[in-house]
Amino acid sequence: MKKNREQSLVDVHAIVAASNGDINAINSILKHYEAYISSLAIRWFYDENGLLRCYVDEEKKRMLEIKLITKILDFEVIKSA
């Protein structure tokens, strides 16, 4: 079943809390993007039988997670009137 747009967005309260350093909020955002980050960290290789295989490069995945955390903490929330 496909998610609708509202279900696929990160909650604004989680974004605000994460940008203020809330560990639980940061973890919820990381969990939200876990599948996407894993897909970006896929490496392809040929095995000993010449078959094309893939795996998630954990080092690349961690680097992407660190980059996301850094951007979350740098994010400035501007409150409108």
Side-chain angles (χ1 to χ4, degrees):
M1 185 156 93
K2 194 171 185 175
K3 291 182 178 181
N4 66 27
R5 181 166 168 76
E6 289 78 28
Q7 290 175 326
S8 66
L9 298 176
V10 176
D11 182 53
V12 68
H13 300 294
I15 294 169
V16 171
S19 68
N20 289 323
D22 183 326
I23 300 298
N24 292 327
I26 292 171
N27 285 333
S28 72
I29 293 172
L30 286 173
K31 181 70 176 165
H32 179 84
Y33 288 108
E34 182 178 24
Y36 178 65
I37 290 171
S38 292
S39 72
L40 294 175
I42 289 177
R43 297 279 187 179
W44 293 91
F45 69 99
Y46 288 96
D47 68 8
E48 61 278 352
N49 298 318
L51 298 173
L52 186 61
R53 306 259 183 198
C54 69
Y55 70 99
V56 176
D57 182 340
E58 291 298 324
E59 184 177 351
K60 187 172 182 182
K61 183 177 176 180
R62 296 296 165 246
M63 288 173 42
L64 291 167
E65 289 172 340
I66 290 168
K67 185 84 163 179
L68 177 57
I69 292 168
T70 302
K71 292 299 180 183
I72 289 169
L73 294 173
D74 287 344
F75 188 76
E76 291 184 36
V77 178
I78 301 171
K79 295 181 181 180
S80 62

